[in-house]
Structures are given as C-alpha cells and as structure tokens.
Amino acid sequence: MEFLSSLVTSPYWTKLFLSGILFVYGIQTRRKLHQPEIIPLIVLAVLLILRDLAWLLTGLPQILLPTDLMILTAYTFWMRNSTNQERAIRGSLILQAIILALIGVHLIPGLTIPALRFLLRPLILVGISYLILQMYFVSPFNTTHYRMVVLLRSPIAIVLVLYNLTVWLFGESSAFIHYIVIPLSYLLHIRVIHAYTDLSHSERGTKIDSLSKDIEALFNFMRTLGSAITEHIEIDNVLNYISGAVLENTKADGGAILLVDEFDDNLRVKAVSGIFPPPYPIPSKVKEKYDNMRQYFVTTPIPVGETIFGEVVKSGQPVFIQNATKDERFQYNEREDLQFISSLIVIPLIVSNRILGILSIVKRTPGSYFSGEDFNNIRSFADYTSLSLDNLFTYIELLEKKEMEREVGIAADIQQKLLPAKLPALTKTDISAYSIPAKGVSGDYYDIIELKGNRLALVMCDVAGKGVPASLVMIMIRSILHLIASAHKDAATIVSWINRGITGQIDIDHYATLSFLTYNPASKTIEYSNAGHHPLMIYRRSSDSIESLDTDGLPLGIERSSRYQAKKAKLNTGDVICLYTDGIIEAMNAEGEQYGYERIARYIRENADKESRELTAGIRADVADFVGKAKQHDDQSFLIMKIL
C-alpha cells in the first residue's frame, strides 16, 4: 500500500500528464501542417513519455542518460531537416555517437567507473552547446526554414541547458528537478511546438503571397506577348520586356538575355536591364566606366563553351552561384570594382532539347544574395520564356512569309512541345501515353512530372476550343503546374491554385477539364483530384475488376472560388490506372455508335498482363478498328500506368 501511495503522489504523474499533452499536441500539429520537420519533435515527446515511465517503474537514475542523449539527437535531426548545414549536423551526430558508446560502457553490469559517470553529463552539455551554436550560425542562405530556427533556438537552448545543468549540479533525485525544472521544460516544449505552428502558418501565407506574385508576373508577360504578336512588336522589344520582368520578379540588380547565333556558334547579347556587369574577365580599361563596360558586353560575342555563359550553353545545365566572392571563377571580383558581382544565376533557354540562349540575373550589393526560392522561381520563368520565345520566333516567321494557313501547323507544334519528350523511368512502375490530334492542333495535354522524394505527378487535361488560343491556355496551365507542383502539396491544393491562376485570365469559352494525381511508389498510394474531367479508371489485379475514382469540381477557368477535393487509393502489384480524354470514349463509327467506357475497361481486363506500351498501342488500334473509315471528330489522348 505504501508503494502504491508513493506512486500516486509521485511527481512523475504530473510529468507523464504534461508529456502526454506534448505528444497529442505534436500529432495534431503534424496532421495540420503535413511537414516532415515536425516529426523529430513528435519523437521527442515519445522519448519523454518513455523516460518518465521507465523512471517511474524502475526508480533508476541511469535511465536519464540515454534518454536525454536521444532527446538531443531528436533536436539534431530537427535541425538537419530545417537547415542545409549537413557537415555541422554530421559533426554533432558523431559527438553524440561517442557519448552513446561511453554510456553503454557505463551501464555494463559490474563495471563501475566513477569518473566516467561524472563526465557523461558535461559531455551531453557539450553536445547541446555545439548544437545551439550551429543554430546561431544559420542565415537565410543556408537554412530552409530560417525564421523557424531563429524563433525556436532560444526556447530550445533554455530547455536543454537548464535541465541538463541542474541535473548535473543537483543530481537526478533533487526535488527541484522533479517539481520545477522538468515540468517547466515540458511546458517550454509545448511552447516550442505552438510557436512552430504559428510561424508555419505565417510562412505558408507568405509562400502563397509569393506564389501569387509569381503567377501574376507570368500572366503579365503572357498579356504582353499577346500584344507583341497582335501589334507586330519587334523581337528586341519583347526580349527587353522579358529582361525587365525578370528583374522585377526577382529583385535583381541586373538581367540579360543572350541568344545563340546558329551561323557562327556564338552567344550575342539581345537585351540588358538594370546594371549587369559581365561575369567574366574583361580588359581593365573597359571597366573604368560603366557605359564602356556595357558597350563592350553588348558588342562582344561569346563563343559557345567559353566563359560561364558559354559553358551553360554547352552543358545545358543552369548555374547558381549564391556567393560569388567564394567562387574560384570570380577571382577578379573586388568590392570596389564596377564589375563586382555578389550573386549570379544563369539559366539555359531550352525547347525540345534545343538551346536558344541563356537568361541571367545578378546581384551587386555586397552581402546581398539570391535564395534557393529565387533560383526555383527563375527556372520556372525561364521555362515559360523558352516556350514563348520559340513560339514567337515561329509566329514572326509566319508573319514575315505571310503564310497564315500555317497557323494550324504552328499551333500543333506548340501543343506537341508541351507533351513530355521522354517519360520518366520510375522503379516498380511502367508508364505509356499517346495523343492524336483531330485536325493537326490538339486541345489535349498530358504530363508526367517527377517530384521530390521519388514521387510522380500525372496530369490529363482537355482545353475547350482549338488552335493557337487553346495552345496558349495549355502553356498557362503547364507553366503554373510546373511552378507549384510539389510532393508536399495535396492534389486538391494543386488543382485549386491552377484554377485561381487562370480564372479571369482566359476567355470562359476556353475553360479546361483536368485530372491530377500524385503517386508515392514507397507506399503505392495515389492522391487524385478532378476538375470536371472523366473519372480515373483503376484495374484491380487481385479481383480482376474495374473501379472508378472521382471527385467533385468545376472545370478550370470558370469560377475562381471553386473548391476541389482529393481522394486517396492504395494500389497493388499488377494494378493499372488509366487517364483519357473524351475523344477516346466518344469516338464514333459510321453507324454513330460511340466507343464508350466499357470497351476500354474490357480491353484492359483482357490484356492486363501486357506492358503499358502494348496496352496503349492496343487501345489505339482497337479505337481505330472500331471507328473504321469514319472521320475523327475530337482529339484522343490516353495515359496508362501499371504497378510492377
């Protein structure tokens, strides 16, 4: 009875209660935020519960050493997920591994080393101090969640240092430890997660605002490009607009566009905005005045393969130099020099594996650098710029030759370039697709996008209307999709943002239906959202049956405030999923009969053992046989993924 009474009155119940609150709060936060950075904090709460239970049941103070070390490790992994300081975090983990080995030696039965026990707690304090020091070395340029780390580093320092220091000085059994320090540390941990939640919502709002600005910048460019085509604006004016728009979008000090001259294999400057010093050595006399330096830059061609610009054209790979003062290629870089560059981004302009030129931006203020977000945004902008320039070149050629009858062919070329040139080869999956336009110009669009974490996004879209207007709507949808597609966003959010991006920017007659799904090969799960398109078809190998997966939602471009839903489904080996446009199921033969959903389903069931390439070829042939000599009245697109 005395033992039970002591348990009831023990301070451990208070600690268990607080650690339980911490755990539940952490789980709820994880469900709301869907961010991996919170997972180590949840693991921390579990460790606190296990420590208190073990101490409550055994009464052994030795329990504290390994669990306190694991708590330090949990915070270390939180830092690793929130920063780019892999080398520093690796050093902290090595130190913790050494401490763990010493704890293991200390806990060996019969082996007593008093000095070792005395040193273990100071060693843990050293590890804590090292981790906290790394927190104070973070900056916006080496940390993914800079504001998060800055906000939480002081509470974390207080929690870890206060607890471990008092345990070291007063011992594990001190009433001060049990009744004040540990409960206070739990409350501070709860405060940490609460602050994390508030700041995460704030950062999410900031990201949404930033994304909205990026989308707005893209549409401003689209409108100007449309005016350029309509008003016959010269290409130089369009290039100058692009260069200026890039500066405005990235807050850069200077921007330049250089295009490849195919006749002499040189890069030539076509547009310069702001102050853009050449990012390569130039004659010392030239850079005494900025006007002379600009004139030299504009008039001097750059051979492909030479200087950092020529290397980007030759390799086709972008270059991001965040801090040019630490890059060997900028040994000439001096702060007092007019040619000084602090940060540089160079992006190749590529269309269908053909390099048109480069887009580059610079920052010149010492200590001012581009961020990773700037780099990602400018890559998306360059991707759209490449397509737009290629289309504009083609269209100008059309105007010059006065061959307006080629509009259909040009629009078909635009649409074809929107389709992926090569399907990604993901392990445990087999993907195939095809698209057949009805009249040379297709209103259909499909895409397969590789996301971080070895995930895939599959898209099937059908734009109302035909010709150049439909192709331009496709470019809008593709540009927004490639800008916002992420493994951390759910499918409904992606579809909602695409809808918000194009609604009001296009004629309502050119709305689009869209199916969007993400696939996680690790868990073999899909997340699907639909905007007025045909449901997703799923063939289940285990039951040899066909299922449909669908969600409610209006087509894109009709109502800005439309809400979209997402559903998840588990796939298994041998299962097949199919996305298609209405040109397949509504294909008609000479008697007016439609091919229909059931024929697709029956063909998939009867041929499910075949490879995806054979399945798409078989569907294509089966539709052609059914239609016979009847005229194709709509575009036909089909995408299939088989789970291996």
Side-chain angles (χ1 to χ4, degrees):
M1 292 297 293
E2 292 181 2
F3 173 72
L4 292 176
S5 176
S6 64
L7 284 181
V8 173
T9 58
S10 170
Y12 296 113
W13 293 112
T14 301
K15 291 180 287 186
L16 281 172
F17 175 72
L18 290 174
S19 57
I21 292 177
L22 177 64
F23 175 72
V24 173
Y25 194 26
I27 291 294
Q28 290 178 340
T29 303
R30 167 63 179 165
R31 289 176 177 173
K32 291 179 181 178
L33 300 184
H34 301 288
Q35 293 184 353
E37 292 83 11
I38 199 70
I39 294 177
L41 299 182
I42 298 174
V43 173
L44 168 70
V46 175
L47 291 173
L48 292 173
I49 293 173
L50 295 177
R51 182 189 68 183
D52 294 336
L53 280 174
W55 202 357
L56 175 64
L57 297 176
T58 65
L60 297 175
Q62 294 91 331
I63 294 294
L64 288 182
L65 282 172
T67 53
D68 290 347
L69 180 62
M70 285 188 283
I71 290 170
L72 172 59
T73 303
Y75 272 119
T76 303
F77 276 99
W78 173 76
M79 271 290 289
R80 191 191 69 173
N81 291 342
S82 301
T83 70
N84 300 325
Q85 299 175 292
E86 285 289 340
R87 183 177 300 177
I89 299 303
R90 193 182 304 119
S92 180
L93 290 173
I94 291 173
L95 177 60
Q96 292 168 39
I98 295 172
I99 298 173
L100 180 61
L102 293 176
I103 291 175
V105 172
H106 174 66
L107 295 178
I108 294 176
L111 181 59
T112 303
I113 307 177
L116 182 59
R117 184 174 186 273
F118 179 78
L119 288 174
L120 283 173
R121 186 62 62 178
L123 283 174
I124 293 178
L125 278 169
V126 170
I128 293 169
S129 301
Y130 182 81
L131 178 64
I132 293 172
L133 186 63
Q134 297 306 318
M135 289 183 183
Y136 281 88
F137 279 148
V138 299
S139 74
F141 310 108
N142 64 11
T143 306
T144 308
H145 301 280
Y146 171 71
R147 293 176 60 202
M148 202 80 71
V149 175
V150 170
L151 178 70
L152 301 184
R153 62 190 177 190
S154 294
I156 290 173
I158 294 172
V159 169
L160 296 181
V161 173
L162 178 63
Y163 167 75
N164 284 276
L165 191 59
T166 50
V167 170
W168 183 40
L169 295 177
F170 299 104
E172 295 90 345
S173 302
S174 169
F176 178 67
I177 297 291
H178 288 288
Y179 288 97
I180 297 179
V181 176
I182 294 180
L184 178 61
S185 71
Y186 289 0
L187 291 174
L188 283 172
H189 280 118
I190 294 174
R191 170 57 185 159
V192 164
I193 295 183
H194 180 71
Y196 189 100
T197 304
D198 290 344
L199 190 55
S200 178
H201 285 304
S202 174
E203 287 188 342
R204 179 175 295 180
T206 302
K207 288 181 179 179
I208 292 175
D209 292 341
S210 176
L211 180 62
S212 298
K213 292 178 181 178
D214 294 336
I215 294 175
E216 184 64 26
L218 283 174
F219 281 117
N220 287 337
F221 175 72
M222 293 174 191
R223 284 191 288 266
T224 300
L225 179 58
S227 299
I229 296 174
T230 303
E231 300 172 12
H232 300 185
I233 295 178
E234 295 183 357
I235 186 65
D236 290 344
N237 293 336
V238 176
L239 292 174
N240 283 322
Y241 170 78
I242 296 172
S243 180
V246 170
L247 250 65
E248 183 179 353
N249 191 49
T250 59
K251 307 301 181 185
D253 296 320
I257 296 176
L258 292 83
L259 300 183
V260 176
D261 190 327
E262 297 179 351
F263 294 102
D264 57 11
D265 208 24
N266 283 329
L267 271 171
R268 298 185 183 275
V269 177
K270 295 298 182 180
V272 179
S273 297
I275 300 177
F276 191 97
Y280 46 81
I282 61 176
S284 57
K285 291 184 178 181
V286 172
K287 58 183 179 181
E288 290 178 356
K289 294 183 178 180
Y290 177 72
D291 288 341
N292 295 341
M293 185 169 61
R294 180 186 177 99
Q295 184 66 19
Y296 177 87
F297 177 53
V298 171
T299 58
T300 306
I302 302 172
V304 172
E306 297 183 13
T307 77
I308 195 169
F309 286 165
E311 292 171 3
V312 169
V313 171
K314 187 175 182 179
S315 66
Q317 298 299 317
V319 169
F320 177 24
I321 302 175
Q322 190 169 56
N323 187 350
T325 61
K326 297 182 179 180
D327 193 282
E328 295 180 354
R329 290 168 289 188
F330 287 80
Q331 294 179 357
Y332 64 89
N333 215 17
E334 298 179 1
R335 293 195 176 194
E336 307 300 327
D337 201 325
L338 285 177
Q339 199 186 356
F340 176 76
I341 292 175
S342 62
S343 193
L344 171 74
I345 296 176
V346 186
I347 309 291
L349 303 175
I350 304 175
V351 176
S352 299
N353 297 321
R354 181 170 65 93
I355 297 182
L356 303 177
I358 60 144
L359 170 65
S360 181
I361 55 175
V362 298
K363 279 185 179 288
R364 302 182 66 251
T365 305
S368 177
Y369 310 114
F370 292 118
S371 66
E373 184 178 352
D374 290 329
F375 180 59
N376 291 332
N377 287 343
I378 198 65
R379 290 187 70 175
S380 298
F381 200 91
D383 182 41
Y384 177 75
T385 298
S386 301
L387 284 169
S388 300
L389 284 178
D390 186 60
N391 295 335
L392 184 57
F393 290 151
T394 306
Y395 200 77
I396 288 176
E397 179 185 355
L398 172 69
L399 293 176
E400 290 174 348
K401 295 180 179 180
K402 299 184 182 298
E403 296 177 355
M404 296 305 296
E405 66 273 15
R406 293 179 57 197
E407 177 184 342
V408 172
I410 293 172
D413 186 54
I414 294 172
Q415 190 275 337
Q416 190 63 34
K417 290 173 182 176
L418 291 173
L419 304 179
K422 182 179 180 182
L423 300 182
L426 197 67
T427 57
K428 304 293 186 179
T429 59
D430 183 20
I431 304 175
S432 182
Y434 74 87
S435 183
I436 307 174
K439 297 180 180 179
V441 182
S442 176
D444 291 352
Y445 160 62
Y446 71 84
D447 211 340
I448 299 99
I449 305 171
E450 293 182 88
L451 306 176
K452 291 182 178 179
N454 201 32
R455 298 185 179 191
L456 280 182
L458 276 65
V459 187
M460 182 64 72
C461 178
D462 188 354
V463 179
K466 297 290 186 294
V468 173
S471 296
L472 290 177
V473 174
M474 286 183 184
I475 293 177
M476 293 182 184
I477 293 174
R478 181 185 183 277
S479 299
I480 297 172
L481 181 61
H482 280 254
L483 178 66
I484 66 176
S486 167
H488 301 304
K489 298 184 182 73
D490 62 83
T493 299
I494 297 292
V495 176
S496 296
W497 284 8
I498 295 174
N499 179 65
R500 289 174 59 187
I502 71 169
T503 301
Q505 308 293 337
I506 62 173
D507 190 336
I508 196 171
D509 293 332
H510 294 108
Y511 66 87
T513 64
L514 180 139
S515 283
F516 178 86
L517 68 87
T518 58
Y519 175 62
N520 184 349
S523 59
K524 290 187 177 180
T525 57
I526 58 172
E527 188 177 53
Y528 176 77
S529 186
N530 193 359
H533 201 74
H534 298 289
L536 176 69
M537 178 187 292
I538 305 177
Y539 167 75
R540 297 292 188 182
R541 179 65 179 172
S542 59
S543 59
D544 191 31
S545 61
I546 296 291
E547 298 178 4
S548 290
L549 186 64
D550 198 13
T551 62
D552 294 331
L554 292 175
L556 305 177
I558 294 179
E559 184 176 333
R560 182 179 176 85
S561 60
S562 292
R563 294 183 176 273
Y564 297 92
Q565 302 172 354
K567 290 183 180 180
K568 294 184 178 180
K570 174 76 173 178
L571 300 179
N572 298 296
T573 300
D575 289 355
V576 179
I577 62 173
C578 304
L579 293 169
Y580 51 90
T581 57
D582 51 18
I584 300 286
I585 60 176
E586 294 176 5
M588 290 190 295
N589 58 20
E591 289 72 36
E593 293 178 289
Q594 292 188 345
Y595 183 76
Y597 175 91
E598 295 298 327
R599 282 188 171 87
I600 298 179
R602 182 171 64 248
Y603 186 89
I604 295 297
R605 285 185 58 192
E606 293 174 354
N607 299 274
D609 291 330
K610 295 181 179 179
E611 295 181 356
S612 65
R613 182 176 57 183
E614 294 176 292
L615 287 172
T616 52
I619 287 288
R620 184 171 181 172
D622 196 49
V623 172
D625 290 341
F626 173 81
V627 172
K629 296 182 179 180
K631 186 177 180 180
Q632 180 181 341
H633 70 281
D634 200 0
D635 311 315
Q636 299 176 0
S637 295
F638 192 81
L639 190 155
I640 195 167
M641 182 173 75
K642 185 174 182 180
I643 309 303
L644 302 179

